[in-house]
């Protein structure tokens, strides 16, 4: 099944790239520059494409991102510290981001003759991001089949949508994903900050998966207190 993968350069999508490549199904990566402050993630997506020997399409959506105001990822809003499932993390929502990106990825897949579009949305995203939930992915698959009816038959492949971040780490480890060649931190510094929601979630996932975390964090201890605080 020739598959176009939406790849940010993060742990989830790079792990899925390696899973698909191991299965012989990875056709290409599609990444998006939407003006995100952690645009360095695109460097890791490019490294993934080169490592796996597939084309890498980078779509310039900076003009679109400039209109999606109010998110800590695209606007002059601080990225909060804390656990991923806290209410404060909702400031990292970019409205309709996945719907926009997946629509374009479907067009690329159809034009290139691929059979599927894959995305690494997972169960841990459901609390914050509405366009990562099964209700969205199911409806989106139906919509796109209608949009391409008679032209192409492209399916949506979201193997992690009911699974946890720790499950993704285990799957990535199984296919030797180089986790140190992935980027999660929303702050986009020289190292992962260790304090934002994505860093806390990343560190917690390795711990739950019982897989060594090769990531260098500016604050390597904060995640435990963030998790403890979220459980109160």
């Amino acid at each position: 099944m020739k598959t176009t993968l939406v790849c940010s350069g993060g742990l989830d999508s790079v792990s899925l790239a390696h899973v698909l490549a191991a299965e012989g199904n990875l056709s290409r990566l599609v990444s998006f520059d939407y003006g995100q402050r952690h645009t360095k993630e695109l460097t890791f997506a490019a490294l993934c494409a080169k490592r796996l020997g597939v084309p890498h399409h980078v779509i310039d959506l900076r003009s679109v991102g400039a209109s999606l105001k109010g998110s800590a990822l695209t606007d002059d809003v601080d990225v909060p510290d804390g656990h991923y499932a806290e209410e404060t993390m909702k400031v990292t929502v970019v409205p309709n981001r996945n719907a926009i990106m997946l629509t374009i990825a479907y067009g690329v897949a159809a034009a290139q003759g691929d059979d599927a579009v894959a995305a690494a949305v997972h169960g841990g995203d459901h609390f914050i991001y509405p366009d990562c939930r099964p209700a969205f992915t199911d409806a989106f698959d139906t919509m796109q089949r209608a949009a391409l009816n008679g032209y192409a038959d492209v399916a949506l492949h979201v193997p992690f949508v009911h699974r946890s971040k720790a499950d993704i780490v285990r799957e990535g480890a199984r296919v030797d994903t180089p986790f140190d060649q992935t980027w999660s931190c929303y702050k986009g510094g020289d190292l992962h900050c260790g304090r934002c929601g994505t860093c806390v979630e990343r560190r917690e996932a390795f711990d739950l998966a019982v897989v060594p975390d090769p990531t260098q964090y500016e604050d390597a201890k904060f995640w435990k207190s963030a998790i403890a605080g979220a459980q109160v």
Side-chain angles (χ1 to χ4, degrees):
M1 185 172 64
K2 295 189 297 181
T3 303
T4 293
L5 171 65
V6 177
C7 183
S8 67
L11 185 152
D12 306 331
S13 59
V14 172
S15 292
L16 182 52
H18 278 261
V19 170
L20 292 170
E23 296 169 347
N25 292 328
L26 184 64
S27 183
R28 71 195 70 254
L29 303 184
V30 178
S31 302
F32 298 89
D33 182 353
Y34 56 97
Q36 63 269 45
R37 69 171 65 200
H38 58 302
T39 188
K40 68 182 295 178
E41 66 179 359
L42 296 177
T43 300
F44 292 89
L47 287 173
C48 179
K50 183 176 180 180
R51 187 168 57 245
L52 297 176
V54 297
H56 185 211
H57 307 261
V58 181
I59 311 298
D60 188 349
L61 289 181
R62 285 175 293 177
S63 61
V64 175
S67 298
L68 304 179
K69 296 292 186 180
S71 171
L73 304 192
T74 57
D75 210 343
D76 188 20
V77 178
D78 289 338
V79 175
D81 294 340
H83 192 274
Y84 210 56
E86 293 180 17
E87 287 287 331
T88 55
M89 295 302 161
K90 290 186 176 180
V91 74
T92 64
V93 171
V94 178
N96 233 29
R97 177 177 60 174
N98 281 354
I100 294 167
M101 293 179 180
L102 284 170
T103 297
I104 294 171
Y106 261 85
V108 172
Q112 298 290 337
D114 287 347
D115 305 304
V117 169
V121 297
H122 63 88
D125 290 332
H126 296 174
F127 177 76
I128 300 176
Y129 303 115
D131 56 1
C132 290
R133 297 168 187 162
F136 166 78
T137 56
D138 289 346
F140 195 89
D141 182 53
T142 300
M143 180 192 73
Q144 285 299 315
R145 289 180 183 275
L148 293 171
N149 185 31
Y151 178 80
D153 185 10
V154 181
L156 181 60
H157 183 51
V158 283
F160 302 145
V161 71
H162 293 291
R163 304 182 70 182
S164 70
K165 185 98 170 183
D167 290 330
I168 296 175
V169 170
R170 294 187 193 99
E171 279 293 288
R174 180 180 62 83
V175 293
D176 298 321
T177 302
F179 294 120
D180 60 339
Q181 295 297 304
T182 67
W183 185 265
S184 299
C185 183
Y186 277 164
K187 295 185 181 181
D190 292 333
L191 301 176
H192 282 76
C193 73
R195 300 181 63 89
C196 71
T198 49
C199 280
V200 170
E201 183 198 35
R202 180 185 176 107
R203 184 64 189 87
E204 180 185 24
F206 278 103
D207 184 66
L208 293 172
V210 196
V211 171
D213 183 358
T215 313
Q216 288 185 288
Y217 300 96
E218 290 181 3
D219 188 338
K221 297 180 179 180
F222 176 77
W223 71 280
K224 287 189 176 181
S225 60
I227 292 168
Q231 293 173 343
V232 174

